[in-house]
Amino acid sequence: MPHRCSDEQEAALETLRQTQHQVVEAEKMASLGLLTAGVAHEINNPINFLVTGIPSVRRDVDELVALVEETAGVGDSEDLPILRDEIHLLLQGTEEGARRTAEIVQGLRSFSRMDEGEIKPASLREGLESTLLLLRKQYEPRIVVETHYADVHAVECFPGQLNQVFMNILVNAVQAIPDTGRIRVDLTQEGPHVTVRIRDTGAGMSEDVRAHIFEPFYTTKSVGEGTGLGLSISYGIIERLHGTMTVESVPGEGSAFTITVPVHQPQRPDPPLNAGGRPPA
């Protein structure tokens, strides 16, 4: 007869499976963070050169046009003003594109902050803003995002991991809205705790789904569209920071995720896993 595992063995195996998948996910997140930070660093310098150089080019063009207009006979040409206006329009478009790229690079740098195994004070407003910036193409123009930020203290945390929590919840909110809708982000503080509340007007979820939403591998998405680990890992990150993460939902009306974390950590949490699934040395 085949050997039947005891309840304790089944529980140990399930814990091992969860740990293995969380280690794999942590390694992927660490590798992605390194890649993102590296790309953002390499792009930052040429983009800054472009942003600061365009005003000089505009001045040089104006001086060149003025010089040509002073040249005998050439100033009477009707093509010169048209050419000047076209150049300014091109420079304006280039400047706007460079400015937008610079914003994205800054968002990437803020979002992918490497925690280096140490908790540090971080602005949750900055983390939310950088996350929303990176997601903008996914939700605009069909979804309106409202932000309401109170003046709160910096929070002791692993900034990169906390940004990943915001990303997971906001991506779920965007995907829960099939057509048009709204997402509201509130940042408040009550005593020694800071709270982030993210509400959407999406499809919502049943009580049964809500009860299992933070369980590893639980997903309502189609096969191949999700691992069911995003919210589980997010829940673990908040738990390690001595915080709480809850969800309220009404089918057809939307969902609201609430994250509450202490401003100061009562004790040092375990360091995040690095690439390779090991704690930093």
Side-chain angles (χ1 to χ4, degrees):
M1 294 179 62
H3 176 69
R4 183 180 180 85
C5 292
S6 66
D7 291 343
E8 291 80 5
Q9 289 173 322
E10 287 287 355
L13 286 173
E14 179 62 23
T15 300
L16 181 60
R17 282 193 291 266
Q18 293 180 18
T19 302
Q20 181 183 18
H21 280 274
Q22 290 187 2
V23 166
V24 170
E25 191 71 10
E27 183 175 351
K28 287 166 57 180
M29 288 169 58
S31 299
L32 180 61
L34 286 170
L35 175 63
T36 304
V39 170
H41 176 75
E42 292 299 323
I43 295 176
N44 190 55
N45 287 338
I47 286 299
N48 282 339
F49 178 79
L50 187 60
V51 170
T52 57
I54 288 176
S56 298
V57 174
R58 184 179 287 111
R59 287 193 299 270
D60 290 345
V61 168
D62 288 339
E63 291 178 3
L64 181 60
V65 169
L67 180 62
V68 172
E69 288 177 338
E70 292 175 2
T71 304
V74 180
D76 297 330
S77 172
E78 296 180 357
D79 294 334
L80 188 58
I82 296 175
L83 181 60
R84 178 188 58 202
D85 291 344
E86 287 181 351
I87 292 174
H88 277 293
L89 283 174
L90 288 171
L91 286 174
Q92 181 179 345
T94 303
E95 186 174 35
E96 176 61 24
R99 183 194 62 77
R100 171 77 177 127
T101 304
E103 287 181 355
I104 294 173
V105 169
Q106 182 57 43
L108 286 170
R109 297 180 72 181
S110 297
F111 179 82
S112 62
R113 296 171 65 176
M114 300 307 294
D115 294 316
E116 300 173 353
E118 296 181 1
I119 59 172
K120 60 188 71 174
S123 166
L124 299 199
R125 175 172 181 165
E126 180 182 315
L128 288 164
E129 286 291 289
S130 65
T131 306
L132 287 169
L133 176 63
L134 296 179
L135 286 176
R136 184 176 294 170
K137 287 297 182 182
Q138 294 190 32
Y139 64 78
E140 287 187 342
R142 68 182 184 90
I143 298 173
V144 176
V145 175
E146 301 176 0
T147 57
H148 300 267
Y149 301 134
D151 187 15
V152 305
H153 289 101
V155 170
E156 293 180 351
C157 61
F158 302 114
Q161 286 201 352
L162 204 51
N163 287 347
Q164 188 64 48
V165 172
F166 299 152
M167 176 69 78
N168 286 336
I169 296 175
L170 285 166
V171 166
N172 282 347
V174 170
Q175 294 175 347
I177 301 175
D179 298 310
T180 59
R182 308 180 80 84
I183 295 175
R184 173 170 172 146
V185 181
D186 290 277
L187 177 64
T188 58
Q189 180 170 349
E190 184 174 348
H193 291 83
V194 171
T195 296
V196 175
R197 185 174 173 84
I198 300 174
R199 288 179 281 182
D200 66 70
T201 59
M205 63 186 83
S206 67
E207 180 60 27
D208 182 63
V209 171
R210 191 196 65 78
H212 298 282
I213 198 68
F214 296 124
E215 294 179 3
F217 315 115
Y218 183 84
T219 179
T220 58
K221 298 177 183 177
S222 302
V223 176
E225 294 185 4
T227 63
L229 284 170
L231 289 177
S232 172
I233 290 175
S234 297
Y235 188 90
I237 290 171
I238 299 303
E239 194 174 50
R240 287 173 54 238
L241 291 174
H242 301 92
T244 60
M245 182 173 174
T246 59
V247 60
E248 304 166 48
S249 187
V250 177
E253 296 184 15
S255 303
F257 284 83
T258 302
I259 299 167
T260 300
V261 290
V263 172
H264 300 290
Q265 286 296 302
Q267 63 187 54
R268 176 181 173 137
D270 295 331
L273 300 178
N274 61 16
R278 300 177 300 275

